[in-house]
Amino acid sequence: MDKYIGILTAGGDSPGLNAAIRGVGKAAQGAFNMRVIGFRDGFRGMVGDRTVRLEGAALSGILTLGGTILGTSRDKPHRMPVGDKVMDMTDVIVDNYHKHHLDALVCLGGGGTQKNAYRLMKAGLNVITLPKTIDNDVAMTDVTFGFDTALNIATEAIDRLHSTAHSHHRIIVVEVMGHNAGWLALGAGIAGGADVILIPEIPYDVQKVADAILERSRAGKHFSIVATSEGAISKEDLEARQKAEKRARENKKNKQSDSDDTDPYGAQVAESNTVRLSRQLEELTGLESRVTILGHVQRGGTPSPADRLLATRLGTACAEFINEGIFGVMVAARGDGVEPVPLEKVAGQRKIVPLDHPWIRTARLVGTNLGD
Ligand code: F6P
């Protein structure tokens, strides 16, 4: 055996993770004679040294499987809950890396995982990462795997909501995942022909959304689909949040507060933003409104062909980089190719939708209301 590599999947799961594990594993073993082991449940499994052999049969039949055969967790190496304490377990991870004589650790994950991998790189490990998340918010890559599958699921949901909204002359507010980035809501909203699309990058004015819906009614269209990102926020709420954050910062500086660990804004918002938006639209338009929260269904099930292809491309390229001794990088998608991007350029960055992005212009040009 030329090299020994370990693989783990961390953060929320995402369609295409198994395709990527297979891509790394098959290329590493078949083309470069490396030995591959997996760690269960992200960084937590590496701390506990819970391993899985990823050879031959273990890599067969997983290309089309959703989720991750390795399991995942959101635990961070430097802040891991252990019993009733939170501990820095970086040294344990470093020890287990050496115990298995690893030449590289492959971390498959989103923004948080890129940061954690960067920390492990600084602790002396040869780390290489792949960008996965349905949110598509990892910096320095054209796209992340998982996004295309979620886009398909959310678009199909919007398609289906159209006929029932139409039949009942209702507003349907559909909440799409994406954390604090609007890629999924914007993409699915455009592809599904939503009448209103609300994303975190464009704070909305609920009266303007109501006006757009009433305008449709006057034109004889007595139903509307509002696709809202889970992180979408009204102008009013944004202002209130910014004020609360400022207050919390000042209190912290003056040591007047004992609530440093609490979210200064979150506590004030008892009702889900999406449910409240639906209620406000009902009040402002006089039309009946319903809420559909797509939730984790967007992350489940078989990956789309585009995600399988992307994950396989990135996974096999990852094995090639390891063979060439290229570490401390994320394997980014760049056009039809790939590019190793230094982790320090990725860690702590988030790719949100730029206000001049062509998708935003496209949405406006087809008459979609973006709440502003
Ligand atoms: O990052 C992927 C994502 O699905 C986000 O869109 C969402 O905000 C979050 O994970 C949900 O996290 P969890 O699965 O831990 O509830």
Side-chain angles (χ1 to χ4, degrees):
M1 290 285 166
D2 287 347
K3 280 189 170 124
Y4 290 76
I5 65 174
I7 307 186
L8 59 82
T9 55
D13 71 344
S14 184
L17 277 169
N18 290 322
I21 293 168
R22 173 180 174 273
V24 177
K26 287 211 173 211
Q29 287 165 28
F32 306 118
N33 201 33
M34 297 173 192
R35 186 176 158 220
V36 187
I37 59 165
F39 291 97
R40 290 194 190 278
D41 303 334
F43 296 108
R44 174 165 290 276
M46 195 156 175
V47 167
D49 196 23
R50 290 185 286 121
T51 60
V52 190
R53 288 176 68 139
L54 288 179
E55 283 154 16
L59 295 172
S60 291
I62 64 170
L63 175 64
T64 59
L65 282 186
T68 161
I69 57 164
L70 293 176
T72 186
S73 71
R74 291 198 183 273
D75 290 305
K76 304 174 177 74
H78 66 295
R79 278 176 61 83
M80 194 165 292
V82 181
D84 56 0
K85 295 203 182 87
V86 174
M87 294 172 67
D88 185 346
M89 303 303 274
T90 306
D91 289 349
V92 181
I93 289 184
V94 171
D95 286 350
N96 285 335
Y97 176 96
H98 292 301
K99 177 180 160 191
H100 290 284
H101 309 287
L102 297 183
D103 295 288
L105 175 66
V106 183
C107 302
L108 280 55
T113 304
Q114 307 300 327
K115 256 204 261 185
N116 292 324
Y118 179 53
R119 287 195 185 98
L120 293 180
M121 182 197 100
K122 290 204 282 190
L125 305 189
N126 288 335
V127 178
I128 184 161
T129 67
L130 300 190
K132 73 88 215 179
T133 165
I134 64 164
D135 302 342
N136 196 32
D137 62 350
V138 176
M140 306 296 292
T141 181
D142 288 358
V143 67
T144 55
F145 56 84
F147 177 65
D148 182 75
T149 307
L151 185 63
N152 278 295
I153 296 168
T155 303
E156 193 195 335
I158 293 174
D159 290 348
R160 289 179 183 276
L161 291 171
H162 259 103
S163 60
T164 172
H166 180 263
S167 306
H168 285 266
H169 320 294
R170 277 175 176 160
I171 300 167
I172 293 193
V173 182
V174 51
E175 183 185 289
V176 179
M177 271 190 172
H179 198 219
N180 289 320
W183 295 106
L184 200 50
L186 183 60
I190 294 172
D195 308 296
V196 178
I197 303 175
L198 304 177
I199 60 173
E201 293 84 348
I202 305 179
Y204 62 86
D205 178 336
V206 69
Q207 186 61 58
K208 291 199 173 155
V209 176
D211 289 346
I213 291 170
L214 287 171
E215 182 64 41
R216 279 175 54 77
S217 270
R218 280 193 290 275
K221 296 169 189 166
H222 301 294
F223 74 97
S224 286
I225 300 289
V226 178
T228 181
S229 179
E230 63 179 344
I233 186 163
S234 69
K235 289 180 181 169
E236 260 180 315
D237 284 350
L238 181 64
E239 213 173 289
R241 176 196 283 178
Q242 285 167 342
K243 277 191 190 146
E245 282 171 352
K246 190 165 168 237
R247 258 198 322 275
R249 271 197 307 274
E250 283 166 3
N251 284 345
K252 196 172 172 188
K253 222 166 50 194
N254 302 334
K255 296 196 176 21
Q256 286 171 356
S257 170
D258 56 0
S259 62
D260 291 354
D261 290 337
T262 61
D263 170 3
Y265 174 72
Q268 296 169 22
V269 185
E271 191 180 23
S272 135
N273 195 35
T274 306
V275 171
R276 184 168 49 130
L277 172 65
S278 169
R279 185 173 47 74
Q280 289 170 326
L281 291 177
E282 242 179 19
E283 283 162 12
L284 292 168
T285 63
L287 294 168
E288 204 177 22
S289 181
R290 291 286 188 271
V291 171
T292 299
I293 295 177
L294 298 181
H296 292 80
V297 74
Q298 294 160 106
R299 276 193 355 214
T302 193
S304 67
D307 272 338
R308 294 180 209 175
L309 176 59
L310 175 63
T312 305
R313 276 175 49 212
L314 297 181
T316 50
C318 175
E320 286 187 302
F321 288 140
I322 294 171
N323 187 50
E324 290 163 27
I326 298 173
F327 305 116
V329 297
M330 177 184 78
V331 185
R334 195 71 73 233
D336 283 338
V338 298
E339 196 183 296
V341 180
L343 279 175
E344 62 256 37
K345 289 195 176 168
V346 183
Q349 306 298 321
R350 202 159 37 91
K351 186 180 76 176
I352 57 173
V353 182
L355 294 182
D356 60 352
H357 193 274
W359 289 7
I360 290 185
R361 186 163 165 70
T362 297
R364 293 198 197 279
L365 286 171
V366 292
T368 310
N369 181 281
L370 299 183
D372 57 345

